[in-house]
Amino acid sequence: MEIKSVAIIGLGALGIMYGKHFVDHLGVDAVRIIADHDRIERYKKEGIFCNGEPCAFRYVDAEEQMESADLLIFAVKYTGLKSAIESAKNQIGKQTIILSVLNGISSEQVIGEAFGFDRLLYCIVAGMDASKVGNELTYKNIGFLSFGEANDERSEKVQALARLFDKVDMPYEIPDRMLHKMYGKLMVNTGVNQSTAVFETNYGGIQVPGKPRDTVIAAMKEVIQVANAEGVDLQESEIAEWLKINDSLNPEGMPSMRQDTLQHRPTEVDLFAGTIRKLGKKHGIPTPVNDFLYDRIRTIEASYA
């Protein structure tokens, strides 16, 4: 199995960052950006920029019938996943590997139900500091991807993706416990994304002692409690490991939820505090910090009008 063609759905921060990286290493013909006709026309008219450089993307209408992609990457917000799945239908073939770089722990279930779990690899991304304003993306750290099978088998899909990432110099890891890794990323997102949005700050604001950083840690501890109740062995010692990654990021950068609140966009609070509150209720575990964050972010969203 060899991955020669890559399709990406979604040109948010990660879609642009990964799209540009693949184009730079594989060439423009090997990478396709899938979107509807009107969105493509807007991309072409306004342009897409990455660290000040225009992106030479090849756009493909979602309705166009064509040879399936070897690798299909979902890089949309969770709120756009349903329409993205519809747009992806013409990209799926017998050998297509599907990867989701969405936040949370829910997208793989939705995508697997739509296209089959046999095509899917579980994935989280971390360590990037990409910030998108309008049609312009800036970043210093591309971070890394963790991917694997739900059962941690080193399958041919896993090996094929590793060979591609080696070829294009994409930082990655194949963890021993993929689902554990996913809950770990949910933990850090629940703390970092939501706290920066609520306290209206950037990475720098939670890299120093103070209430924002204390809230990050307290929210992460609640994730550990519900994860343990779900049978995932997260430990408080892992908080320091994730914070070390966060502390290495560009202090002026911002996670996606803070970017959303600045630009008056709907957030993914349901993927973070929403998930933790739901699991807390399921297991009888209080989640006061995530209750606070959820209510504050909903208030911020309501203020947009």
Side-chain angles (χ1 to χ4, degrees):
M1 182 182 291
E2 182 180 3
I3 299 173
K4 295 181 179 179
S5 58
V6 179
I8 297 174
I9 298 182
L11 276 187
L14 296 184
I16 295 173
M17 186 176 73
Y18 293 137
K20 177 72 161 54
H21 189 88
F22 281 122
V23 167
D24 287 348
H25 289 79
L26 297 176
V28 67
D29 291 337
V31 183
R32 60 187 87 152
I33 307 299
I34 312 302
D36 61 53
H37 174 78
D38 291 345
R39 194 179 296 268
I40 289 173
E41 290 303 308
R42 189 174 81 244
Y43 290 155
K44 289 180 176 178
K45 179 180 178 180
E46 299 176 356
I48 299 291
F49 298 86
C50 181
N51 285 339
E53 296 182 13
C55 296
F57 289 147
R58 177 168 70 105
Y59 300 106
V60 173
D61 193 308
E63 298 299 319
E64 183 178 338
Q65 298 287 334
M66 63 187 309
E67 185 177 353
S68 60
D70 297 326
L71 174 64
L72 171 63
I73 299 175
F74 284 91
V76 297
K77 292 284 189 182
Y78 188 76
T79 52
L81 182 56
K82 184 177 179 180
S83 61
I85 286 173
E86 186 66 28
S87 297
K89 289 182 177 178
N90 287 330
Q91 305 302 316
I92 303 291
K94 290 182 178 180
Q95 299 298 315
T96 303
I97 297 171
I98 303 175
L99 204 65
S100 166
V101 295
L102 276 69
N103 287 319
I105 55 174
S106 306
S107 65
E108 279 84 1
Q109 182 69 31
V110 177
I111 295 168
E113 290 174 354
F115 296 121
F117 289 92
D118 58 319
R119 306 180 190 278
L120 184 69
L121 288 177
Y122 286 70
C123 176
I124 66 104
V125 295
M128 77 294 297
D129 53 12
S131 177
K132 179 175 178 279
V133 178
N135 60 346
E136 299 190 18
L137 171 77
T138 56
Y139 75 92
K140 291 185 178 180
N141 300 290
I142 197 170
F144 62 94
L145 298 95
S146 296
F147 64 88
E149 300 279 8
N151 63 3
D152 300 318
E153 176 190 354
R154 296 299 176 100
S155 65
E156 176 56 27
K157 296 201 304 292
V158 171
Q159 296 176 55
L161 190 58
R163 288 193 294 269
L164 172 68
F165 285 173
D166 286 336
K167 180 179 179 180
V168 302
D169 196 26
M170 181 75 78
Y172 72 92
E173 66 174 10
I174 304 171
D176 293 330
R177 297 180 293 167
M178 187 65 229
L179 294 182
H180 183 278
K181 195 77 176 184
M182 293 186 73
Y183 267 89
K185 181 63 191 308
L186 174 64
M187 177 176 70
V188 71
N189 276 346
T190 296
V192 170
N193 271 268
Q194 297 184 132
S195 296
T196 54
V198 165
F199 292 101
E200 300 180 346
T201 188
N202 49 23
Y203 286 122
I206 58 172
Q207 290 170 345
V208 296
K211 189 170 183 179
R213 188 176 180 91
D214 290 344
T215 305
V216 170
I217 294 170
M220 292 171 78
K221 288 181 178 179
E222 291 182 356
V223 178
I224 291 172
Q225 288 182 290
V226 299
N228 291 167
E230 285 287 292
V232 177
D233 187 29
L234 280 182
Q235 301 290 327
E236 285 199 12
S237 60
E238 296 176 55
I239 291 177
E241 298 171 18
W242 283 104
L243 289 180
K244 184 177 180 181
I245 294 173
N246 182 79
D247 291 347
S248 71
L249 300 178
N250 176 12
E252 299 301 318
M254 301 176 189
S256 58
M257 186 175 285
R258 176 56 179 147
Q259 295 176 47
D260 288 338
T261 56
L262 274 175
Q263 298 180 57
H264 290 189
R265 297 190 300 239
T267 74
E268 294 181 310
V269 67
D270 281 325
L271 284 181
F272 303 142
T275 297
I276 303 312
R277 296 170 83 215
K278 185 183 299 182
L279 291 174
K281 289 176 182 177
K282 174 183 174 182
H283 296 288
I285 298 171
T287 56
V289 179
N290 277 282
D291 291 340
F292 160 73
L293 292 169
Y294 185 91
D295 291 341
R296 282 293 303 130
I297 291 166
R298 285 299 189 213
T299 300
I300 291 169
E301 290 178 325
S303 74
Y304 294 165

